[in-house]
Amino acid sequence: MIIAALELFTQNGFDQTTAAQIAARAGVTERTFFRHFPDKREVLFVGQEILSAALTESIRQAPADLPQIAVLRRAFADVTPLLEDNRRFSEPRQHIIAANPALIEREVAKHAALAGVVAGALQKRGIAPARAAFAAQAGLAVLGHALDLWFANAARPLDQCLAEAFEELDLFVTPVGRS
């Protein structure tokens, strides 16, 4: 159903596509569609639970003595294969969301929820709530930058883009005159 929805959203636009059309394209009933998705918007946000669980588990399993930023770097590196496996969904999804203000709003809400999950996992490692929230938001910004780099150049592996994004963060926070 996801591929059918993406095809229709791309062809007709998000607002002009109905759940009934998605179901028909996917070869299922409209009732089956609504068993899987509460509305057509959620087709674009499927998998967030899997990503949240994978990040939480990676953060939980990180060595106790690992610095916070290294914990996040490790967690995002651990989910790289998951993201790469979904590239054919993720890239068109980004274009569809960017073209629709209501979807952008939904994306922001989903991003905030993911930041909350990451912050919660960091708090379980003993990081203070405000610091964990800040670290989660900063880490997800780095991941977002890595995804932008990856979408801009399909030939580059995501792990390379992620490493570059963290290197850029390192350069940004390194005091002038030190490197």
Side-chain angles (χ1 to χ4, degrees):
M1 281 186 279
I2 296 167
I3 298 302
L6 288 173
E7 289 170 353
L8 288 167
F9 294 156
T10 301
Q11 288 171 359
N12 306 330
F14 177 82
D15 290 329
Q16 292 71 35
T17 301
T18 66
Q21 290 170 322
I22 296 168
R25 172 75 62 98
V28 299
T29 66
E30 194 172 353
R31 184 178 181 134
T32 299
F33 175 87
F34 285 114
R35 275 194 211 120
H36 294 277
F37 305 103
D39 59 49
K40 69 180 183 177
R41 293 177 309 172
E42 288 306 307
V43 171
L44 296 169
F45 300 99
V46 69
Q48 183 164 352
E49 305 82 24
I50 296 167
L51 179 60
S52 294
L55 287 169
T56 298
E57 185 61 17
S58 180
I59 292 168
R60 186 188 70 72
Q61 290 184 1
D65 62 342
L66 206 57
Q68 295 169 33
I69 196 70
V71 170
L72 289 175
R73 182 178 256 172
R74 177 184 188 269
F76 295 137
D78 285 350
V79 299
T80 296
L82 176 68
L83 297 170
E84 286 177 328
D85 288 347
N86 289 301
R87 184 178 183 130
R88 80 177 190 140
F89 167 72
S90 301
E91 196 165 0
R93 171 191 174 276
Q94 287 306 112
H95 296 296
I96 293 163
I97 290 170
N100 186 300
L103 293 175
I104 293 170
E105 184 178 320
R106 185 73 171 166
E107 172 91 329
V108 168
K110 292 288 190 170
H111 183 84
L114 183 59
V117 167
V118 171
L122 292 170
Q123 286 176 44
K124 288 181 180 175
R125 293 179 60 84
I127 300 170
R131 184 174 220 169
F134 176 66
Q137 291 169 8
L140 287 170
V142 172
L143 177 61
H145 181 60
L147 290 169
D148 289 344
L149 294 171
W150 185 50
F151 290 144
N153 184 347
R156 293 182 66 197
L158 179 55
D159 62 344
Q160 183 182 73
C161 295
L162 185 63
E164 181 180 322
F166 271 105
E167 287 170 14
E168 288 183 35
L169 177 66
D170 290 343
L171 290 172
F172 181 72
V173 299
T174 300
V176 177
R178 291 179 31 195
S179 45

